[in-house]
Amino acid sequence: MSSRPRVYCRIRPLNEKEGAVEGKNECFFDKDGNTLLYHKADGDVVRSRFDSVMGPATDQKTVYRLLKDEVTSSLMTGYNATVFAYGQTGSGKTYTMEGQRAGDQRGLIHNFVSEIFDQFAQKKDVENVSVQMSYVQIYQDQIQDLLQARKLLDIRLDKSGAYIASGACWRDVSSARQAMNVCYDAAKHRATHSTDMKLVSSRNHALLQFQVKWDEPLAPGSNAKLNLVDLAGSEKVFKTGACGEVLKEAIAINKSLSALSNVVKALVDQARDPGKRHHVPYKDSKLTYLLQSSLGGNNLVHFILCLSASVLYQSEGMSTIEFGKRALKVVLKPVKNPIDYRRLEEMERMIEQMRQHISELEGKLSQKGAQGGAADTSMTGKKPAGENEKFLVMDDIAQDNEDEGGPGGRGKQAKDLINAEIKKLEEQQRTVEERLVQRGAELEQLKGSNAKEREQFQSKFTEEKRRYMEELNILRCNVQRQRERLEQGEEEVARARHKRAKRSMRIEKIGTRQKLKNSQELERIYKTLPESLHELTSHCILFPDSKEHFRKLGGLKKLIALIDCRGNKGRESYIAHASYALSIALDELGRDEVRELGGVHAVSQVLSRTDEHSKQFACRALEAVVRGNAANKREITDDVLLQLCGLVGTHPHQQVQEAACSALAEIADSLPDIKEKLMLHGLIRKMVSMIRDTPPEVADLIKVGVTVVGRLAQQHLPCQNEIAALGGVKILADTLFSSVGDRDPQLPVLTAYALVNICCNNRENMIILQKHPKWADIKFKVLEGLGRVFSDSIASENRIRATASHSIRSDGGRELFGYHGVTCVSEWSPFTAGGRPTYSSFMENPQFTLTVSEDCNVSIVLSDLSCEDRHAHRTASKQKTIYMGLAVFRGDRALLCDRGLKQLDFNGRFVTSGRFNRNRENTLSLPLKGSPDPYIIVPFTAHLMQYTRFCLGVFADKEVEVTQVPEEGGWLKRVFEGSWTTATGRGADAFDWRNTDQFLITVAEETTVTAVLSYRAVDEFRTRQALAADDEEVPDDSPENEEARERPHLHGRVFSSSFAPNRRYVRSNVPSPQNTSFVACNEYLSSSSVKTTVTLQPNQTYVYVPSTETPCVDEYRVSFYSDSNEVNVSTLNPSSEWYAFKYKGTWPADSDSSPSRSPFVLLNGGGKVVIIGSAKDVYLLLSVYEILDNGRYEKVADLTPAVKTKKLASCDAFWANECVLETTLPDANKSYWVTLQGIVTLESGEQRAVTEGDYTLAVYAEDINVTCTSNDADGLMLVDRLNATPEVVTYGVEKLMN
């Protein structure tokens, strides 16, 4: 369940310097124990509320008592706890944590250490207590080990998914005195200096950790961790007088505390808006990086705000108070530490003890239920915190005049984003208008000039005004479009809210009406019993929640009276059907009531009746009555057991035999004395014969026989030995691979369970099993069975992680069989339900690293923990069937282990995957090679947006390690959507690929970015398929199936843009020796989604270009994932466009490859230009010449061979098919001559000038004043500043994450 940090405030008494201040010298006061008063200079009073506020007179013992109960309770129940001391320098943080070494003024460290050892000394049933401690400091953003003389340490991710100081020394301590001596010795190495505010000031953040492990009867391998953090104090340099080395320390301290404040702020934003993923900047500082698991993980956190009451430090005090108020709003999700099971026998003993404990609790719960005191549980299956976990439940503390925010902030963010875009466009509009005014003023200044000059300027001004007005109209259209988008969004939000409210009311009304209808129907059925027995069974099957109501009506008593009506000839005909109705209508709390009413004996008597229905339904009723209830099982007499055994293998009706086997399996479960009796009655011999001799067509009978054998063998050595002596091991091994498994897939699963119970803790039986000719395949089945056993166990105990390890050895010590397993519980949530591997969001699924040090065989079991809950409520609404799958890839060690990030790109790393499975589990078995790099396991569902909890069990015959890759603090995701139009969707290989949409990317530090490009229609279709019911899905052959439509392959390419970083990238889109701007592209082709991963450097502009292989008009979606929040991604806009000119022509027949005989264009103006020549199967060279004659040439015809020129720029070599030249025209008043030379290579290898064929020549100019003329006609359109209208080009729009 969720909780929040506890925040306490402690006011330090005034020292001599502070007390000497004239006039009012205090401004902070405590009131009512939880209110802090701040008296401003103007007389106003500001109130702040915390969990507790301690005045200057508060002693150390009082501080400890406030924290003692919650901290020690959390530790003793397996939760981690962290205590922070926060405040300005000299405010009493170190005194609060350490205090004096003796007497009553000892600090929290000494008191907590003493309490830990005292607690364990008082617990008589606790064994194998182990306490380890480590002590590190963070000094100038370096982690140093105080137990190893300031040895430098790094941060890494450990096996449990927590961030730790790698290589830190952990010292074993056996008493509080020994622990404190270690602390005192280590504290000598802490960095301290003298400042103007404090004689001995701590210049580091100190982290003291205690790792506690112990064994309890019901929880072997329990563990917890206590973190005590003494933060360095924030300080103002002019007050402390810091200089030199002390100044460097102050800068590092303030920087790390600022990072801590930013992390808390991000966690508050995340709590206010849980529907949106927020980036939490843990990695901005070593302090927050190391404490990531404490701040945003599974710890219970306590902040002690230390401040001085003096008016000298009121600004520092208010900063501390504001930090505490923000910390109150953080949402914590504490989770118990997993129990570490080392042997299967321990697990089995624990399960047996837990079952007995649950039986006792059920008895108490039923008594409380009768008194109306039963605890309420929610529909999600979450239970309220127990008596030992009250520390998890905390009320919110509201501050005065506080804006609570909340999930509704998403709509505001959308409005802010659009308003920012409108503001940006309006600024561009004002810039254009100002340029028009400026040019008009210049024209006014020329009134006194000669007429010719004024006429030339007037003509130029008219042309400029025309272009400026066109640009202005484009901007106005875009502003209007954004405003319409804003209005449309607000209308959609209003409609959605109204629709949601109506839907909620309708659902609530329907639910209430349905409950009332069901209740009335059940009461009618109850009153008309026994005639309505058939209706009762149907009603309880359709509406399982009605069982409790039926019990409260007294229905169980009535059914038992019908069953126990021997001698009443009028009612004897109802006995069999009443027994069946009891098996269906019985709920968990009704089993004790049945025993008290004599129902166990009454049902047992029905077995003596001769008709088959009575025997079958009596067996079903006995199975339901004794399920999970040890007291009811004890009511079964030896005669009843003998009757049940007599039905097995001899009764002519198969259904009766199946029912008898099911009843025997439930009765024998976990009771060794009953197993002994059944063994004496010859049940094992009958079961083995049944499994061996039953025809494959009767799969159900074989299945219940295997179940009985498995239950009898569980934790019972005599039964295991007798099964083996009768050849049962070989028979079960043969059953694993028989044709019966094809008829019923549950049979191999149950058979593997049985073999685990018979062989995995029995050396002789394991030797028999290994002699089977199919042992190599059986080994995988056994590992799968172990995975299932362990997954069921961890799910029932509400744990999130557990490990198991066991080895069976021969007399000589050789290992016959060993297994090592790790089981983790996780979920597919709105942020992690990414769908199957072909989906663009596949990488968002939960990921697990699998470390394999040597070659081994591995079985992976994926179990759906919410499957039964969904089926129980399936009648209320249509639900999607969840198909689960497993995939294994080779992992990137640097990404997964060293940096703790999910892997996004799996191209070339595929190992294997399993089939989809609609049952509650899926399995995958495979051999794996030992590798220093981890493997990565990705569990997934067949559709998006399928949310459920799951358990992943990995078992191998060699030691392995499994760790879930953390979700928090990982990749930051931004999503953009756009479209390819007839003008922009030109294909990646066409000349006018340059028209397509583009994204500009800049980073502040070295950053890894992955861009995922997909078709929007396909993604949205997959979403609709996920929301549709099973029978409403669009079939594969339907024309509405977007996945079945043929679409071009996608391309995502990244280029560096240094020549004109704020303009559309037009250089070249293929890697070549001449194209040094190419950075990366997708490594494989797909018409579904492609990924491009690249590491970007700061001080550089990059361009991402999404395109298709051939021309296509469609909508796209691109998601950018980055490992830093210092990444800026923006779309193009009209101001990013060039002024473009494009020409198509035919090579002259008299061309001789010289510039004067080649195609050319005439440019007038200045500024940056990009010139592109293109011709198929031709080597091309572009050159630019500056015309030295004075004046400008407006027409090509004015150029003559006598014109003097100077080469300005040229390509360094001939380019194949396409040539690009980027240059700057230095003088706007000059003309420039651009030539395109071409040569072809003949079959003989000879090269000559090209004299036939078509060419394309394009010019992109930065300045609107550049004009271009050519000796060829105008050709195809290029997107530029003047035609960038919504009808021609649409720019990508960022989509807010839901």
Side-chain angles (χ1 to χ4, degrees):
M1 63 183 299
S2 298
S3 185
R4 65 161 175 82
R6 285 60 164 156
V7 182
Y8 315 89
C9 183
R10 187 180 190 187
I11 305 174
R12 174 178 62 75
L14 300 181
N15 56 30
E16 293 183 4
K17 176 182 177 181
E18 296 164 348
V21 176
E22 295 183 0
K24 179 183 177 183
N25 56 12
E26 291 183 275
C27 61
F28 294 107
F29 304 89
D30 64 302
K31 179 185 178 182
D32 300 333
N34 66 350
T35 302
L36 179 69
L37 303 181
Y38 167 48
H39 289 252
K40 293 184 176 181
D42 59 4
D44 289 345
V45 178
V46 178
R47 293 176 173 81
S48 302
R49 299 184 181 90
F50 300 101
D51 290 291
S52 178
V53 177
M54 296 164 279
T58 306
D59 58 12
Q60 296 282 67
K61 280 190 174 181
T62 303
V63 177
Y64 171 65
R65 281 196 295 268
L66 281 172
L67 278 77
K68 170 188 171 183
D69 291 340
E70 287 197 7
V71 174
T72 55
S73 296
S74 63
L75 287 175
M76 293 301 107
T77 48
Y79 289 87
N80 296 339
T82 301
V83 180
F84 288 90
Y86 181 93
Q88 75 171 95
T89 184
S91 59
K93 301 182 299 300
T94 303
Y95 179 77
T96 300
M97 299 300 288
E98 296 182 0
Q100 299 176 358
R101 294 196 175 187
D104 294 337
Q105 297 305 313
R106 292 180 297 191
L108 291 178
I109 294 176
H110 192 289
N111 287 322
F112 278 132
V113 171
S114 300
E115 182 66 23
I116 289 173
F117 285 99
D118 290 345
Q119 287 272 356
F120 285 118
Q122 295 170 9
K123 292 191 174 184
K124 304 301 182 183
D125 56 349
V126 171
E127 300 176 347
N128 303 325
V129 178
S130 168
V131 180
Q132 292 182 310
M133 61 179 293
S134 76
Y135 206 171
V136 301
Q137 72 172 7
I138 302 174
Y139 177 67
Q140 294 196 19
D141 214 34
Q142 289 184 333
I143 302 175
Q144 301 173 346
D145 193 343
L146 297 178
L147 298 181
Q148 299 184 78
R150 292 196 182 184
K151 175 186 175 182
L152 293 181
L153 306 175
D154 292 325
I155 300 175
R156 69 171 178 84
L157 200 67
D158 72 354
K159 296 177 180 179
S160 64
Y163 289 91
I164 62 171
S166 177
C169 175
W170 284 88
R171 194 78 57 83
D172 290 307
V173 290
S174 56
S175 66
R177 179 186 294 273
Q178 182 186 3
M180 292 312 301
N181 288 336
V182 174
C183 285
Y184 295 147
D185 291 339
K188 297 176 183 178
H189 297 289
R190 288 190 64 178
T192 59
H193 273 111
S194 175
T195 69
D196 291 351
M197 291 184 64
K198 192 176 181 185
L199 183 62
V200 180
S201 175
S202 300
R203 315 303 292 167
N204 62 81
H205 308 293
L207 171 59
L208 178 61
Q209 293 182 297
F210 290 92
Q211 177 71 53
V212 188
K213 299 179 181 179
W214 70 96
D215 290 337
E216 292 186 52
L218 298 181
S222 297
N223 63 94
K225 184 181 289 185
L226 173 63
N227 305 315
L228 301 172
V229 187
D230 181 10
L231 296 171
S234 59
E235 57 186 59
K236 293 185 177 179
V237 176
F238 71 90
K239 289 187 178 181
T240 60
C243 60
E245 188 65 24
V246 179
L247 178 59
K248 292 181 181 178
E249 294 170 346
I251 293 172
I253 290 170
N254 290 337
K255 181 180 178 182
S256 60
L257 291 176
S258 176
L260 175 62
S261 181
N262 291 337
V263 166
V264 171
K265 183 178 182 298
L267 292 172
V268 172
D269 293 340
Q270 184 171 283
R272 284 182 169 178
D273 192 3
K276 179 180 179 181
R277 175 173 292 178
H278 294 263
H279 176 71
V280 183
Y282 291 114
K283 298 181 183 178
D284 286 358
S285 165
K286 291 288 180 65
L287 172 66
T288 53
Y289 197 4
L290 182 59
L291 295 174
Q292 177 172 344
S293 301
S294 299
L295 295 168
N298 61 350
N299 285 22
L300 286 159
V301 181
H302 304 258
F303 286 100
I304 303 177
L305 308 179
C306 299
L307 66 157
S308 168
S310 174
V311 295
L312 295 175
Y313 310 119
Q314 53 186 333
S315 62
E316 291 91 336
M318 284 307 300
S319 297
T320 301
I321 292 169
E322 290 303 320
F323 174 85
K325 290 164 72 173
R326 282 198 301 270
L328 283 170
K329 302 173 188 175
V330 174
V331 174
L332 303 175
K333 295 183 179 179
V335 180
K336 277 187 179 180
N337 290 308
I339 289 177
D340 185 12
Y341 301 105
R342 296 298 180 186
R343 298 179 305 277
L344 182 62
E345 290 87 345
E346 288 185 33
M347 183 192 73
E348 291 173 340
R349 286 198 301 270
M350 190 205 70
I351 293 173
E352 174 60 24
Q353 292 170 344
M354 287 296 294
R355 282 175 174 159
Q356 295 177 2
H357 185 57
I358 290 171
S359 298
E360 296 173 2
L361 291 178
E362 286 178 342
K364 295 178 182 179
L365 188 61
S366 63
Q367 294 174 5
K368 290 183 179 180
Q371 299 168 4
D376 185 25
T377 56
S378 67
M379 293 296 290
T380 60
K382 295 182 180 178
K383 298 181 180 179
E387 290 298 319
N388 294 330
E389 299 179 10
K390 288 183 178 179
F391 51 83
L392 296 179
V393 183
M394 294 294 289
D395 295 330
D396 290 335
I397 298 178
Q399 305 293 340
D400 294 341
N401 302 321
E402 182 179 47
D403 181 11
E404 296 295 338
R410 287 197 296 272
K412 183 179 181 301
Q413 292 173 2
K415 291 173 63 177
D416 291 345
L417 188 65
I418 297 175
N419 283 326
E421 184 68 20
I422 292 175
K423 184 178 179 181
K424 181 178 178 182
L425 291 171
E426 287 176 341
E427 289 177 356
Q428 295 174 1
Q429 182 177 327
R430 283 194 296 271
T431 301
V432 174
E433 291 171 346
E434 289 171 1
R435 287 209 304 257
L436 276 174
V437 174
Q438 180 183 356
R439 300 298 281 177
E442 292 175 3
L443 181 62
E444 287 293 324
Q445 293 176 2
L446 290 174
K447 281 187 176 180
S449 303
N450 60 66
K452 184 177 181 182
E453 185 177 351
R454 194 164 53 250
E455 182 181 352
Q456 289 177 349
F457 192 86
Q458 176 70 48
S459 174
K460 184 177 180 180
F461 175 74
T462 302
E463 177 62 22
E464 286 183 4
K465 185 176 180 180
R466 181 186 66 80
R467 293 188 178 183
Y468 282 146
M469 291 304 297
E470 289 177 350
E471 184 174 356
L472 195 60
N473 289 333
I474 293 173
L475 291 172
R476 286 171 177 166
C477 289
N478 287 336
V479 169
Q480 183 61 30
R481 185 173 60 178
Q482 292 294 341
R483 288 184 174 168
E484 290 175 355
R485 179 176 164 225
L486 179 60
E487 294 174 0
Q488 182 181 0
E490 290 176 342
E491 291 175 359
E492 289 178 356
V493 169
R495 285 196 300 268
R497 286 176 178 170
H498 180 66
K499 185 177 180 181
R500 190 184 305 118
K502 287 183 63 177
R503 183 173 179 271
S504 299
M505 292 178 59
R506 186 169 64 254
I507 291 175
E508 183 178 355
K509 191 174 181 180
I510 292 173
T512 303
R513 189 163 57 242
Q514 184 65 44
K515 286 182 181 179
L516 179 61
K517 182 179 178 181
N518 291 345
S519 177
Q520 293 173 345
E521 177 68 10
L522 189 63
E523 290 174 5
R524 182 193 65 79
I525 292 172
Y526 170 77
K527 291 176 182 179
T528 55
L529 288 175
E531 289 79 7
S532 57
L533 282 171
H534 289 293
E535 293 181 77
L536 174 64
T537 56
S538 300
H539 187 88
C540 290
I541 291 173
L542 290 173
F543 308 105
D545 294 339
S546 299
K547 295 179 182 181
E548 180 182 3
H549 188 202
F550 180 72
R551 172 171 52 81
K552 291 179 178 179
L553 288 173
L556 297 181
K557 183 177 181 180
K558 204 166 187 178
L559 286 178
I560 293 172
L562 289 173
I563 295 171
D564 192 16
C565 65
R566 296 181 304 277
N568 188 339
K569 294 184 178 180
R571 298 234 170 164
E572 281 191 354
S573 59
Y574 295 112
I575 291 177
H577 294 297
S579 301
Y580 178 64
L582 179 65
S583 68
I584 299 298
L586 187 62
D587 65 344
E588 292 290 333
L589 299 180
R591 293 189 172 92
D592 290 328
E593 183 178 339
V594 169
R595 183 181 67 253
E596 295 166 0
L597 293 172
V600 179
H601 176 71
V603 173
S604 300
Q605 294 300 315
V606 181
L607 279 174
S608 59
R609 294 172 64 87
T610 57
D611 62 293
E612 64 181 80
H613 289 297
S614 295
K615 292 184 181 295
Q616 178 185 350
F617 296 151
C619 292
R620 298 294 184 199
L622 278 176
E623 179 189 1
V625 167
V626 303
R627 185 178 295 120
N629 194 304
N632 288 1
K633 293 179 182 180
R634 301 290 183 191
E635 293 281 316
I636 305 297
T637 63
D638 289 348
D639 291 338
V640 174
L641 293 177
L642 191 60
Q643 288 184 64
L644 290 171
C645 292
L647 296 175
V648 177
T650 59
H651 199 279
H653 293 280
Q654 173 192 335
Q655 290 83 359
V656 176
Q657 293 193 52
E658 290 177 12
C661 288
S662 299
L664 286 167
E666 198 60 55
I667 293 170
D669 189 28
S670 304
L671 293 181
D673 53 338
I674 293 181
K675 292 180 181 180
E676 294 280 356
K677 294 177 183 178
L678 294 175
M679 190 169 62
L680 293 175
H681 292 327
L683 180 62
I684 293 179
R685 183 178 296 276
K686 286 188 174 185
M687 290 292 102
V688 172
S689 300
M690 177 192 297
I691 298 170
R692 181 189 60 223
D693 301 333
T694 301
E697 293 78 11
V698 194
D700 289 340
L701 194 56
I702 299 175
K703 188 165 67 173
V704 293
V706 170
T707 302
V708 174
V709 170
R711 294 282 182 88
L712 291 172
Q714 186 179 17
Q715 305 177 55
H716 199 269
L717 187 61
C719 286
Q720 296 169 9
N721 292 335
E722 183 170 346
I723 292 169
L726 294 170
V729 174
K730 184 179 183 306
I731 292 171
L732 288 171
D734 293 337
T735 304
L736 273 175
F737 306 99
S738 67
S739 60
V740 188
D742 298 333
R743 298 173 179 270
D744 192 336
Q746 276 295 101
L747 181 60
V749 174
L750 295 172
T751 306
Y753 266 123
L755 286 173
V756 167
N757 289 333
I758 296 169
C759 303
C760 280
N761 59 353
N762 191 307
R763 184 177 63 184
E764 289 74 17
N765 290 0
M766 180 56 70
I767 294 174
I768 297 173
L769 185 60
Q770 288 184 339
K771 292 179 179 179
H772 195 279
K774 293 188 177 181
W775 164 244
D777 297 323
I778 293 174
K779 181 187 293 187
F780 284 116
K781 298 294 184 182
V782 172
L783 291 173
E784 288 178 11
L786 287 165
R788 293 187 183 97
V789 170
F790 219 65
S791 297
D792 292 344
S793 174
I794 191 176
S796 64
E797 297 162 16
N798 199 26
R799 296 284 178 176
I800 61 170
R801 179 182 168 87
T803 59
S805 181
H806 185 59
S807 178
I808 300 176
R809 298 184 178 275
S810 64
D811 294 333
R814 183 177 64 86
E815 185 178 78
L816 296 174
F817 178 73
Y819 61 83
H820 307 266
V822 181
T823 307
C824 303
V825 173
S826 186
E827 65 176 346
W828 286 293
S829 68
F831 290 125
T832 60
R836 64 184 76 179
T838 56
Y839 286 13
S840 60
S841 55
F842 171 72
M843 76 291 293
E844 296 178 1
N845 284 299
Q847 298 181 7
F848 298 82
T849 58
L850 170 61
T851 304
V852 178
S853 56
E854 54 182 318
D855 296 357
C856 63
N857 298 303
V858 178
S859 287
I860 307 171
V861 179
L862 180 64
S863 305
D864 184 354
L865 300 182
S866 305
C867 181
E868 294 181 1
D869 290 339
R870 287 198 307 276
H871 283 297
H873 302 90
R874 198 173 182 85
T875 56
S877 62
K878 290 187 177 181
Q879 295 187 14
K880 191 81 170 177
T881 301
I882 294 182
Y883 291 81
M884 301 187 302
L886 284 164
V888 179
F889 304 88
R890 288 187 296 277
D892 184 337
R893 182 180 183 83
L895 197 68
L896 296 166
C897 300
D898 299 342
R899 300 172 63 190
L901 296 174
K902 277 186 172 183
Q903 189 158 316
L904 301 182
D905 199 342
F906 300 98
N907 181 43
R909 296 178 175 271
F910 178 76
V911 176
T912 188
S913 64
R915 295 179 177 178
F916 291 121
N917 195 333
R918 64 175 294 172
N919 297 326
R920 66 180 298 270
E921 72 170 20
N922 200 340
T923 59
L924 181 63
S925 298
L926 71 161
L928 288 177
K929 295 285 186 181
S931 171
D933 293 327
Y935 294 91
I936 181 167
I937 303 172
V938 184
F940 59 90
T941 55
H943 291 284
L944 298 167
M945 304 168 62
Q946 295 193 311
Y947 313 137
T948 184
R949 293 178 68 244
F950 66 84
C951 183
L952 183 79
V954 181
F955 271 72
D957 54 4
K958 301 293 182 182
E959 187 170 356
V960 297
E961 183 56 50
V962 178
T963 303
Q964 183 169 5
V965 182
E967 298 290 340
E968 294 297 331
W971 296 100
L972 183 67
K973 180 181 179 182
R974 294 179 67 182
V975 179
F976 292 82
E977 292 180 347
S979 59
W980 294 298
T981 65
T982 53
T984 62
R986 302 305 303 160
D989 297 330
F991 180 89
D992 40 7
W993 66 267
R994 296 168 175 85
N995 290 0
T996 193
D997 210 349
Q998 299 180 6
F999 297 86
L1000 304 179
I1001 309 173
T1002 57
V1003 298
E1005 57 185 357
E1006 183 176 284
T1007 304
T1008 300
V1009 175
T1010 296
V1012 183
L1013 175 64
S1014 59
Y1015 285 104
R1016 180 180 172 186
V1018 175
D1019 288 349
E1020 293 180 348
F1021 171 75
R1022 288 166 173 169
T1023 301
R1024 292 195 300 272
Q1025 289 285 83
L1027 296 174
D1030 290 337
D1031 56 353
E1032 296 174 353
E1033 285 189 21
V1034 177
D1036 294 341
D1037 56 352
S1038 171
E1040 298 179 3
N1041 191 315
E1042 294 289 344
E1043 288 185 291
R1045 278 184 54 192
E1046 290 189 8
R1047 286 181 166 90
H1049 289 153
L1050 295 166
H1051 289 270
R1053 294 169 177 170
V1054 179
F1055 306 92
S1056 62
S1057 180
S1058 56
F1059 178 68
N1062 296 322
R1063 299 286 181 178
R1064 178 183 289 275
Y1065 175 83
V1066 295
R1067 183 177 172 84
S1068 180
N1069 71 336
V1070 293
S1072 66
Q1074 293 84 7
N1075 185 19
T1076 57
S1077 61
F1078 179 85
V1079 178
C1081 65
N1082 52 292
E1083 296 183 4
Y1084 66 99
L1085 296 177
S1086 171
S1087 56
S1088 175
S1089 65
V1090 293
K1091 303 178 184 68
T1092 306
T1093 300
V1094 61
T1095 300
L1096 305 182
Q1097 303 298 328
N1099 303 319
Q1100 176 67 280
T1101 300
Y1102 297 89
V1103 179
Y1104 176 76
V1105 182
S1107 59
T1108 54
E1109 192 168 36
T1110 57
C1112 176
V1113 176
D1114 211 327
E1115 295 180 324
Y1116 67 85
R1117 175 177 293 156
V1118 58
S1119 303
F1120 292 97
Y1121 297 83
S1122 60
D1123 61 352
S1124 169
N1125 61 344
E1126 298 296 330
V1127 178
N1128 181 40
V1129 182
S1130 59
T1131 63
L1132 295 181
N1133 56 68
S1135 63
S1136 307
E1137 303 291 357
W1138 304 84
Y1139 295 98
F1141 311 90
K1142 181 178 178 181
Y1143 305 95
K1144 289 193 69 174
T1146 304
W1147 291 98
D1150 58 348
S1151 174
D1152 60 1
S1153 76
S1154 64
S1156 60
R1157 305 293 295 274
S1158 301
F1160 65 91
V1161 294
L1162 179 65
L1163 296 181
N1164 288 306
K1168 293 181 179 180
V1169 293
V1170 181
I1171 308 165
I1172 306 163
S1174 175
K1176 188 176 181 181
D1177 299 330
V1178 178
Y1179 291 93
L1180 302 168
L1181 180 70
L1182 278 168
S1183 301
V1184 178
Y1185 298 85
E1186 179 183 351
I1187 299 178
L1188 300 178
D1189 294 346
N1190 294 329
R1192 292 160 50 118
Y1193 289 85
E1194 302 295 339
K1195 299 179 181 179
V1196 176
D1198 295 339
L1199 291 173
T1200 65
V1203 172
K1204 295 181 180 181
T1205 62
K1206 179 181 72 173
K1207 181 179 286 190
L1208 181 65
S1210 177
C1211 294
D1212 53 2
F1214 280 86
W1215 291 27
N1217 299 321
E1218 187 175 274
C1219 184
V1220 181
L1221 178 61
E1222 296 173 335
T1223 189
T1224 301
L1225 306 181
D1227 192 342
N1229 297 316
K1230 290 260 187 166
S1231 296
Y1232 301 88
W1233 184 16
V1234 179
T1235 65
L1236 177 65
Q1237 300 168 247
I1239 59 175
V1240 294
T1241 302
L1242 305 178
E1243 294 181 0
S1244 62
E1246 178 188 358
Q1247 291 186 336
R1248 66 169 177 80
V1250 60
T1251 57
E1252 59 182 356
D1254 296 331
Y1255 70 88
T1256 301
L1257 193 59
V1259 178
Y1260 287 87
E1262 185 179 43
D1263 192 352
I1264 193 173
N1265 296 313
V1266 172
T1267 59
C1268 180
T1269 59
S1270 170
N1271 53 357
D1272 284 305
D1274 192 5
L1276 297 176
M1277 181 196 71
L1278 287 179
V1279 171
D1280 70 350
R1281 184 81 66 94
L1282 300 180
N1283 61 28
T1285 61
E1287 294 77 21
V1288 176
V1289 59
T1290 58
Y1291 298 104
V1293 176
E1294 184 167 8
K1295 179 184 178 184
L1296 290 178
M1297 299 294 294
N1298 292 324

